[in-house]
Amino acid sequence: MLDFHAHVLPGADHGSDGLRTSLRQLKLAEQAGIDVIIATTHFYPQSDEFGSFCRKRQLAYEELLDKYQGPIRILAGAEVHMCVGLDHLEGLEALCVPGTRVMLCELPFRGLPGGMTETFERLMDGGIVPVLAHVDRYDPTVINNLFGMGLLGQLNAEPLSRRFHRRRLLPWIDGGSIVALGSDIHGTEIGYSQYLKAVDFLGPRAGTIEARTRELLRDVL
Ligand SMILES: [Fe+2]
């Protein structure tokens, strides 16, 4: 199985405070049957300097790969907090899943600012494939509008692991807009328990979503 959204690089963001935590996270992922993790380190364009973000992420990635002996393939991506004009950032490809043009994008929580849909349009015109992170968290009307523009989405395991309201997410899956499932793991407390519950609830749909993810990442998987 594939985890498209995870914070597991040591010290790269608040998902892991260091190597011990990261190795524990990977052990939990192994036990859950995960074989590919996209390590989506938070990137906040408003406060992070792009070059130092990339260097810090690379160092954390190398530190982890140096010590991790297990079977999981880890790719160092990013969870990009969206801002208007992001498309002007030079070297934007470094925020995509390596070897692809697929970018995990986190929407602002207080609605879409003016100019955001145009930013997405320009990103897509430039060949970037934005995948909206944890679309379950936002106003469904906003998300439906973005899906209508051709944007794709990722679901977190957490809402799918809960008994109530999770069925409301199924039309997005069945409509083809959801292309990835993520643990959004931070720390080790929850681990992959929600992910496994989500997969159990989804049944064959989990395989459908994973097939879409592997198709998106076909150049590197
Ligand atoms: Fe996240």
Side-chain angles (χ1 to χ4, degrees):
M1 291 190 296
L2 194 149
D3 185 359
F4 192 77
H5 183 161
H7 299 272
V8 295
L9 296 189
D13 63 17
H14 60 277
S16 165
D17 56 9
L19 196 54
R20 252 175 83 106
T21 296
S22 296
L23 292 172
R24 178 73 189 137
Q25 288 173 317
L26 294 178
K27 180 55 77 180
L28 293 168
E30 279 177 32
Q31 288 165 353
I34 302 289
D35 63 344
V36 177
I37 289 182
I38 314 300
T40 48
T41 304
H42 284 286
F43 174 65
Y44 299 102
Q46 300 88 341
S47 54
D48 290 334
E49 199 274 310
F50 181 57
S52 55
F53 166 83
C54 292
R55 283 190 294 278
K56 186 177 178 185
R57 180 184 58 176
Q58 183 62 24
L59 287 174
Y61 182 62
E62 287 170 10
E63 182 188 9
L64 185 57
L65 288 204
D66 189 48
K67 288 288 182 299
Y68 178 62
Q69 308 281 344
I72 297 177
R73 181 155 175 226
I74 306 156
L75 297 169
E79 179 177 8
V80 181
H81 193 82
M82 280 301 293
C83 65
V84 173
L86 183 81
D87 52 298
H88 296 301
L89 183 67
E90 206 168 315
L92 197 64
E93 291 73 17
L95 298 173
C96 297
V97 178
T100 78
R101 309 271 284 169
V102 177
M103 183 190 290
L104 183 65
C105 298
E106 181 183 36
L107 294 172
F109 281 101
R110 291 187 195 149
L112 288 193
M116 185 65 85
T117 53
E118 291 80 359
T119 298
F120 276 122
E121 278 168 359
R122 290 195 300 271
L123 283 171
M124 291 191 289
D125 287 348
I128 300 290
V129 181
V131 176
L132 303 172
H134 38 60
V135 286
D136 41 278
R137 290 190 189 173
Y138 302 92
D139 177 349
T141 308
V142 171
I143 297 301
N144 282 330
N145 287 339
L146 293 170
F147 285 164
M149 287 170 54
L151 283 149
L152 304 170
Q154 172 257 320
L155 284 177
N156 269 8
E158 190 262 345
L160 293 164
S161 71
R162 285 205 245 125
R163 208 169 260 275
F164 300 105
H165 306 304
R166 57 186 175 182
R167 298 198 70 81
R168 75 177 170 86
L169 300 168
L170 297 181
W172 282 343
I173 298 172
D174 296 341
S177 295
I178 299 300
V179 294
L181 184 63
S183 67
D184 202 359
I185 187 170
H186 288 71
T188 56
E189 200 178 321
I190 294 167
Y192 280 81
S193 56
Q194 292 175 337
Y195 190 98
L196 290 175
K197 280 184 192 164
V199 167
D200 188 46
F201 166 67
L202 289 171
R205 288 183 173 100
T208 302
I209 296 171
E210 176 154 342
R212 290 175 189 157
T213 315
R214 290 187 184 271
E215 173 62 19
L216 262 189
L217 305 181
R218 62 189 178 279
D219 291 344
V220 289
L221 294 184

